[in-house]
Amino acid sequence: MGKKKAAVTLHDVANKTGVSVSTVSRVLAGKEYISPRTRQKVMATVAEMNYSPNAMARGLKSGQSNMIALVIPSIHNLMFPVLTRGVEDTARKNGYMVILCNTDEDTDAEKGYITKLRNSWVDGMIFATMLPDSHYIRELRQSGFPVVLTSRAYDKTIDAVVIDNVSASYDATCYLIGKGYRRIAFAMGPDFQLYEDRFQGYCNALKENGIPFDERLVMHETDGVNSFAGLIRKMIEEQGKPDAVFASTDNRAIVIMRTLYDMGFRIPDDIAVMGFDNVDFSSLVEPPLSTVSQPLYDIGATATRRLIHQIRAVRNTGVLDPPVVEQLETHLLIRQST
Amino acid sequence: MGKKKAAVTLHDVANKTGVSVSTVSRVLAGKEYISPRTRQKVMATVAEMNYSPNAMARGLKSGQSNMIALVIPSIHNLMFPVLTRGVEDTARKNGYMVILCNTDEDTDAEKGYITKLRNSWVDGMIFATMLPDSHYIRELRQSGFPVVLTSRAYDKTIDAVVIDNVSASYDATCYLIGKGYRRIAFAMGPDFQLYEDRFQGYCNALKENGIPFDERLVMHETDGVNSFAGLIRKMIEEQGKPDAVFASTDNRAIVIMRTLYDMGFRIPDDIAVMGFDNVDFSSLVEPPLSTVSQPLYDIGATATRRLIHQIRAVRNTGVLDPPVVEQLETHLLIRQST
DNA sequence: CTGTTAGCGCATTCAT
DNA sequence: ATGAATGCGCTAACAG
């Protein structure tokens, strides 16, 4: 069989310069106690031979890869491109690269990534998935591996960056009620804590304002976001039109808006619509969507900073710092759909 | 200083089982000539100790990392989440992981990734950026490193997966003309070949249909997508309204649609709008956007397959296969904005 | 200031 | 069928 063209190594550079490998290594590491002349000569050959260090050898030696993994449901979901930029920008600024892992919210896929990556491809992992409690993630953390969660906080035993879904959702619902809407439908997501919380906030607001909760006004996603096209249609046919719809994500809100539009309703005149997330596109739809703005980029950036902090803690002290759950602020963004 | 908790190594497993490291290595590699009993014992300790191989040691030894890099302008641009899934799914199916690199179309950033990654973090790279000819990428390829381009083909000396922008754009413009639109504005992008091609197709269609080209009907992006809000406004104030607008990307089309809407125009009754790309959201805006559909997922998947093919070629024969430029089909997707 | 050496964890060749 | 020994490319400890 053939073999790959051998890359130039430290050894080659040393030979050519007429010094030892360790000298070259020192020069490259910017160590002191190197004579200017030697340094200069080495730098010259390095440039001449176009040498660049073998990262895997370096990693094997140092036990660090300077890579982190970002585990998300799917980059296809509009929440994540923004969060991902927050992660990547922060990582790069600190000398880390990021490996992207799409799980489609599949527990086995998540587990697969963990077992594959923990053993030294990556120095730490960020989980932005919404899966319920995962044994593997706890175990990772317990074994001293840096892990940061977003979108879920477990029980504060793991570092996390979150928002207060219950109160954000409560505020949004109160706003709708304040505008005079009474029959407020809710578009529920799959069975994740995240959506339970948003639903809870909605219920709390209803109760505090003396509005009876009506189970028939909550739509449960059956088969992906698009199922809401059918759900809202069915609800209106059976229950009559609601005054407003509060969707647990912008994606759901937008699908609902389109359907409402197709059915001939005007927004917000006939029915108001409120979203959650403030995904990029929410300002571009017609009418621009009122929503709960979540600092997606910042969540990514904060999670990454925390992760890198923990990576350094492990390197320096041998153990992880105690976990911290950081809560970031959301705010109600009123545009024209309410 | 402290030290990281040592991971369990082949050595540990060997010791505990009472065999040599090479035996353990063989068992794990599924080699033959191992007594069933030994195999069994080894497997037991592996499971018991929760051993997993150190990827960097393995990589150092084998010269392969089983990672590839995907270089894109920004995951934030709606073209790329879909393309990225195509890449990631295909990569994973073949045992590769992907490192995501956002360059914001900055040549230095691109160069930085190249120098950092080529030396053995990744086995190959996909460039989905639109930057003009890059010396570094050619050099990569020439040095025998697997590279695949999308969105640009250079001169067929590098593997690429592309679409025919000129003719796709030509077809779209002809469609508009066929519908009776005469004053067709064009929303031009930055100075990349890609947009030149789309512009060329637009010009060709005009000429073939005997419609004089009017420079004042082409808008040039000044400062990001949002600049088209001002540009379309200004154009209409100065030149009167066009019959239709053909935007070089969906993003631009959508910003323009919003502005038109705000100005009180109805789409497509007053002004038709045509996009390019068929980004996810184009079906969700109001009215759903007519556009040139580009097989984004497939572009990513095809590029990845080709890249992996080349990686294997290098491993087996020592050299890259001759470059292939694959052209994928686009089609006109007529929705309600025209 | 610089060279020699050992060893990171693994796969593999050579013995046995 | 299995063990011992070597080396992938690099860094760091130890000698000068």
Side-chain angles (χ1 to χ4, degrees):
Chain A
M1 297 298 152
K3 62 256 140 175
K4 202 158 154 183
K5 186 195 309 195
V8 16
T9 78
L10 215 45
H11 189 80
D12 301 330
V13 177
N15 269 148
K16 183 141 187 174
T17 321
V19 294
S20 75
V21 285
S22 49
T23 302
V24 180
S25 176
R26 281 192 197 97
V27 171
L28 263 47
K31 299 280 192 198
E32 312 213 332
Y33 302 117
I34 299 280
S35 88
R37 262 194 68 250
T38 315
R39 178 185 303 273
Q40 170 129 26
K41 281 200 299 184
V42 170
M43 292 308 258
T45 19
V46 162
E48 184 187 340
M49 302 184 76
N50 199 8
Y51 167 79
S52 110
N54 181 312
M56 291 200 286
R58 191 176 267 187
L60 176 58
K61 183 73 186 163
S62 69
Q64 304 248 174
S65 66
N66 289 311
M67 303 237 247
I68 63 175
L70 172 62
V71 183
I72 59 180
S74 172
I75 191 68
H76 202 281
N77 176 326
L78 283 183
M79 298 252 316
F80 298 107
V82 184
L83 186 143
T84 301
R85 278 303 309 243
V87 170
E88 223 237 290
D89 291 350
T90 310
R92 181 148 35 118
K93 216 171 297 167
N94 288 278
Y96 286 82
M97 313 209 87
V98 3
I99 298 182
L100 191 65
C101 311
N102 292 99
T103 65
D104 289 313
E105 295 293 13
D106 177 78
T107 313
D108 288 337
E110 187 168 289
K111 176 182 158 192
Y113 277 117
I114 293 174
T115 53
K116 185 154 184 185
L117 289 171
R118 68 175 303 173
N119 211 103
S120 75
W121 267 136
V122 299
D123 297 339
M125 300 180 79
I126 296 175
F127 290 89
T129 46
M130 294 169 281
L131 256 19
D133 195 351
S134 159
H135 175 56
Y136 299 98
I137 296 183
R138 285 178 186 287
E139 207 170 58
L140 256 191
R141 158 90 204 190
Q142 273 159 21
S143 74
F145 190 84
V147 172
V148 177
L149 266 28
T150 73
S151 322
R152 53 180 164 181
Y154 286 179
D155 44 19
K156 322 231 178 222
T157 60
I158 303 185
D159 289 280
V161 179
V162 299
I163 58 168
D164 186 340
N165 283 295
V166 179
S167 84
S169 175
Y170 170 87
D171 291 345
T173 311
C174 284
Y175 172 82
L176 290 173
I177 296 172
K179 292 285 274 186
Y181 303 113
R182 282 295 170 273
R183 281 172 50 81
I184 303 174
F186 188 84
M188 185 65 178
D191 195 23
F192 301 144
Q193 188 57 43
L194 172 69
Y195 300 125
E196 294 297 342
D197 289 349
R198 293 182 188 174
F199 178 61
Q200 189 60 54
Y202 159 82
C203 292
N204 291 354
L206 252 36
K207 187 195 282 181
E208 282 204 18
N209 286 275
I211 300 179
F213 168 70
D214 183 350
E215 169 63 39
R216 293 166 309 177
L217 288 180
V218 4
M219 296 171 278
H220 293 272
E221 179 172 295
T222 50
D223 185 34
V225 207
N226 288 319
S227 57
F228 284 101
L231 288 169
I232 184 75
R233 231 188 191 97
K234 180 148 169 284
M235 194 186 85
I236 291 176
E237 279 160 12
E238 294 177 0
Q239 322 289 330
K241 85 168 188 60
D243 300 334
V245 179
F246 180 20
S248 52
T249 66
D250 284 353
N251 281 300
R252 297 185 178 113
I254 290 168
V255 169
I256 289 170
M257 270 178 49
R258 268 229 58 72
T259 312
L260 257 20
Y261 200 96
D262 289 345
M263 294 175 77
F265 292 107
R266 285 161 313 153
I267 300 167
D269 307 9
D270 298 326
I271 303 179
V273 177
M274 166 84 69
F276 200 118
D277 287 343
N278 190 27
V279 135
D280 272 2
F281 249 81
S282 55
S283 63
L284 258 18
V285 292
E286 183 46 48
L289 183 67
S290 294
T291 189
V292 176
S293 177
Q294 185 175 177
L296 293 168
Y297 185 92
D298 214 33
I299 290 175
T302 306
T304 308
R305 275 194 296 270
R306 181 66 191 164
L307 186 69
I308 292 175
H309 171 88
Q310 289 287 29
I311 291 172
R312 294 187 177 143
V314 172
R315 182 171 51 214
N316 296 331
T317 70
V319 294
L320 290 165
D321 270 7
V324 171
V325 175
E326 293 185 67
Q327 191 169 90
L328 266 35
E329 291 303 312
T330 58
H331 69 274
L332 205 50
L333 192 54
I334 301 306
R335 290 196 275 237
Q336 281 112 67
S337 70
T338 51
Chain B
M1 295 302 145
K3 62 253 138 177
K4 204 161 154 182
K5 186 195 309 193
V8 14
T9 79
L10 216 44
H11 188 80
D12 301 330
V13 177
N15 268 149
K16 183 141 188 171
T17 321
V19 295
S20 76
V21 284
S22 46
T23 301
V24 179
S25 177
R26 282 194 196 95
V27 171
L28 262 48
K31 298 280 191 200
E32 313 212 332
Y33 302 118
I34 298 280
S35 87
R37 262 194 66 250
T38 313
R39 179 185 304 274
Q40 169 130 27
K41 279 199 301 180
V42 170
M43 293 308 259
T45 14
V46 163
E48 184 188 339
M49 303 185 75
N50 198 8
Y51 167 80
S52 110
N54 180 312
M56 292 202 283
R58 191 175 265 187
L60 176 58
K61 184 78 184 159
S62 69
Q64 305 249 172
S65 65
N66 289 313
M67 305 239 247
I68 64 176
L70 171 61
V71 183
I72 61 180
S74 171
I75 191 68
H76 202 279
N77 176 327
L78 284 183
M79 300 251 316
F80 298 106
V82 184
L83 186 142
T84 301
R85 278 305 306 244
V87 170
E88 222 237 288
D89 290 351
T90 311
R92 181 149 33 120
K93 217 171 296 167
N94 288 278
Y96 286 82
M97 313 210 86
V98 2
I99 298 183
L100 190 66
C101 312
N102 291 100
T103 66
D104 289 314
E105 295 293 16
D106 177 79
T107 314
D108 288 337
E110 186 168 288
K111 177 182 158 191
Y113 277 118
I114 293 175
T115 54
K116 184 153 185 186
L117 290 171
R118 69 175 304 172
N119 212 109
S120 77
W121 269 136
V122 299
D123 297 338
M125 300 180 78
I126 296 175
F127 291 88
T129 46
M130 294 169 281
L131 257 19
D133 196 350
S134 159
H135 176 56
Y136 300 97
I137 297 182
R138 286 179 184 287
E139 208 170 57
L140 256 192
R141 159 89 205 189
Q142 273 161 20
S143 73
F145 190 84
V147 172
V148 177
L149 265 28
T150 71
S151 323
R152 54 179 166 183
Y154 287 178
D155 45 21
K156 321 229 179 227
T157 59
I158 302 185
D159 289 281
V161 179
V162 300
I163 58 168
D164 186 341
N165 283 295
V166 179
S167 85
S169 174
Y170 171 87
D171 291 345
T173 311
C174 284
Y175 172 84
L176 290 172
I177 296 172
K179 290 286 273 186
Y181 303 114
R182 281 296 168 273
R183 282 173 50 82
I184 303 175
F186 188 83
M188 185 65 177
D191 194 24
F192 300 144
Q193 188 58 44
L194 171 70
Y195 299 125
E196 294 296 342
D197 289 351
R198 292 182 187 175
F199 179 62
Q200 189 60 55
Y202 159 82
C203 291
N204 292 354
L206 252 36
K207 188 195 283 179
E208 281 203 19
N209 286 275
I211 300 180
F213 168 71
D214 183 349
E215 168 63 39
R216 294 167 308 178
L217 287 180
V218 5
M219 295 170 279
H220 293 271
E221 180 172 294
T222 52
D223 185 33
V225 208
N226 288 319
S227 58
F228 284 102
L231 289 167
I232 184 75
R233 228 183 193 105
K234 180 147 170 287
M235 194 186 84
I236 291 176
E237 279 161 12
E238 294 177 1
Q239 322 289 329
K241 85 168 187 63
D243 298 336
V245 179
F246 180 20
S248 51
T249 65
D250 284 353
N251 281 301
R252 297 185 178 110
I254 289 168
V255 169
I256 288 169
M257 269 179 50
R258 267 232 55 76
T259 312
L260 256 22
Y261 199 97
D262 289 345
M263 294 175 76
F265 291 108
R266 283 160 315 153
I267 300 166
D269 305 12
D270 298 325
I271 303 179
V273 177
M274 166 82 73
F276 200 118
D277 288 341
N278 190 27
V279 136
D280 271 2
F281 249 82
S282 55
S283 65
L284 258 18
V285 292
E286 182 48 45
L289 183 67
S290 294
T291 189
V292 176
S293 176
Q294 186 175 178
L296 293 168
Y297 184 94
D298 214 33
I299 290 176
T302 306
T304 307
R305 275 193 296 271
R306 182 67 191 163
L307 186 70
I308 292 174
H309 171 88
Q310 289 286 30
I311 291 171
R312 293 186 177 144
V314 172
R315 182 171 50 213
N316 295 331
T317 71
V319 294
L320 289 166
D321 270 9
V324 171
V325 175
E326 293 185 68
Q327 192 170 90
L328 265 35
E329 292 301 313
T330 59
H331 69 274
L332 204 51
L333 192 55
I334 301 306
R335 288 195 275 238
Q336 281 113 67
S337 69
T338 52

